[in-house]
């Protein structure tokens, strides 16, 4: 059985002049436990909205979402979180004033994962960070890594990572790849990563392309990677991230 199933999901929002804008249209996708899925596609295509919809942050207007066969379409973020869904935001939330160690303790819950090791896995030295309060002195990359750690420390059925590479240096990026591989190898967590990075796509069991709010393509990785590697990129409106190059912070 599929772990998570999206059936004909649509998300609309009202724009400035109160017109309905369809951000996701008739999206049907299936996710299995123990697998890695990469969601990619042009900016503004609806990838983050898809993740927010699974997490319950942006509820769907049409369609249904099932977790382990149970309809979770009407459940709140907290209820979905209790059922084992976690989402690492593209732009990390700031938990101002909270110490890094305390934030991770809260996130950890009953999981057996070590706070120290999780910090190391995202390239942060626990001795330096555990007792530091989160404030404006943190760089975007540091916040991003703390956000990632707060998801990685949980025992999740489905972990959503929204552009985890953004703002992360090459060294931490390599650690992150290892961490995803370890998570995939030693747990049954279904890993869904929104990314433009070829190194991340290489880990995927399945790559889903979202464009203009729709599933444009579902493919096993080799096919898509060969498209990305071809020199047709000049014809596409791709940013450096989408070409798989690391951005500076
Ligand atoms: N809360 C919102 N209000 C208005 N427009 C939104 C909102 N969230 C997303 N959008 C629009 O929906 C489209 C898809 O956004 P998003 O899911 O963030 O794309 P992606 O993550 O693929 O770059 C974009 O055109 C974006 O401007
Ligand atoms: Mg996005």
């Amino acid at each position: 059985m599929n772990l998570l199933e999206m059936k004909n999901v649509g998300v609309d929002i009202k724009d400035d002049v109160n017109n309905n804008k369809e951000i996701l249209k008739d999206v049907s996708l299936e996710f299995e436990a123990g697998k890695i899925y990469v969601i990619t596609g042009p900016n503004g295509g609806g990838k983050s909205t898809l993740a927010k919809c699974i997490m319950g942050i942006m509820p769907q207007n049409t369609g249904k979402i099932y977790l382990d066969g149970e309809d979770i379409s009407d459940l709140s973020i907290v209820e979905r979180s209790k059922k084992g869904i976690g989402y690492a935001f593209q732009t990390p939330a700031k938990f101002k004033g909270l110490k890094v160690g305390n934030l991770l303790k809260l996130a950890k819950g009953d999981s057996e994962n070590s706070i120290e090791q999780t910090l190391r896995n995202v390239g942060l030295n626990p001795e330096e960070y555990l007792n530091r309060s989160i404030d404006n002195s943190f760089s975007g990359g540091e916040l991003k890594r703390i956000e990632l750690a707060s998801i990685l420390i949980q025992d999740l059925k489905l972990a959503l990572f929204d552009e985890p590479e953004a703002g992360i240096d090459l060294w931490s990026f390599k650690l992150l790849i290892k961490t995803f591989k370890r998570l995939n190898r030693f747990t049954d967590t279904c890993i869904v990563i929104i990314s433009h990075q070829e190194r991340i796509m290489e880990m995927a069991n399945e790559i889903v392309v979202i464009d203009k709010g729709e599933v444009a393509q579902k493919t096993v990785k080799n096919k898509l990677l060969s498209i990305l590697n071809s020199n047709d990129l000049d014809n596409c409106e791709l940013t450096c991230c989408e070409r798989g190059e690391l951005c500076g912070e």
Side-chain angles (χ1 to χ4, degrees), residues 48 90 162-163:
S48 293
Q90 182 169 356
D162 200 342
E163 303 199 15

Side-chain angles (χ1 to χ4, degrees), residues 43 47-49 52 87-93 140 144 147 161-164 166 194 196:
N43 288 332
K47 303 179 296 298
S48 293
T49 304
K52 286 176 189 165
Y87 174 50
F89 285 83
Q90 182 169 356
T91 315
K144 184 81 183 180
E147 167 89 5
F161 298 94
D162 200 342
E163 303 199 15
I194 297 173
H196 303 297

Side-chain angles (χ1 to χ4, degrees), residues 168-183:
I168 282 194
D169 59 72
L170 202 55
W171 185 75
S172 306
F173 181 69
K174 285 182 184 159
L175 271 174
L176 194 63
I177 296 273
K178 271 194 198 160
T179 303
F180 285 136
K181 285 189 174 162
R182 213 178 304 121
L183 186 64

